[in-house]
Amino acid sequence: QVQLVESGGGLVQAGDSRRLSCVVSGDTFSSYGMGWFRQAPGKEREFVSGISWTGRKTDYADSMKGRFTISRDNTKNTVYLQMTALKPEDTAVYYCAAKLGYYGDYAAGYNYWGQGTQVTVSS
């Protein structure tokens, strides 16, 4: 069984930076494409970023391009989301997810999910 645990969320001010981490355990980390999703109150779960199992391919939602950076360190079984220039509209629960195969932007395609970490951005 694959377990994903996110950390790094909290209360930040607009314009600040924050790095989220997702530690994967229970199986081979490098076997999975990884993604970050977020869900704000009253809104649908939204794709944030994805990364291939090798870390060589990445993708971002349009609203995150230029501000967020996804990366992974397979030696540490960890995927990261570096967030910069945070805006109040970035406030959401951020989820890490693992997919059997190539990463994608469709939440239903992911097989394992973390519990989420809350990011709150104040103006």
Side-chain angles (χ1 to χ4, degrees):
Q1 180 71 272
V2 175
Q3 185 176 44
L4 289 71
V5 180
E6 304 97 330
S7 63
L11 177 63
V12 299
Q13 292 185 322
D16 283 357
S17 299
R18 196 83 169 189
R19 188 179 74 165
L20 306 182
S21 299
C22 173
V23 179
V24 182
S25 62
D27 208 342
T28 304
F29 175 63
S30 60
S31 298
Y32 300 93
M34 301 294 298
W36 285 97
F37 293 78
R38 69 184 186 185
Q39 189 164 20
K43 302 192 71 175
E44 298 291 324
R45 187 163 296 188
E46 176 188 25
F47 172 75
V48 174
S49 184
I51 188 168
S52 64
W53 73 275
T54 65
R56 298 188 182 97
K57 300 176 182 178
T58 61
D59 199 13
Y60 302 90
D62 288 342
S63 62
M64 269 65 78
K65 290 179 180 178
R67 298 192 301 120
F68 291 7
T69 303
I70 189 171
S71 63
R72 67 191 295 167
D73 185 345
N74 289 351
T75 68
K76 299 179 179 179
N77 287 355
T78 303
V79 63
Y80 304 95
L81 184 68
Q82 179 66 47
M83 306 182 293
T84 62
L86 284 164
K87 308 172 182 179
E89 51 263 44
D90 293 320
T91 296
V93 177
Y94 284 73
Y95 296 92
C96 179
K99 185 178 187 297
L100 296 173
Y102 200 75
Y103 75 89
D105 61 359
Y106 185 49
Y110 286 79
N111 304 99
Y112 302 99
W113 293 83
Q115 83 289 347
T117 185
Q118 176 72 46
V119 176
T120 302
V121 185
S122 63
S123 59

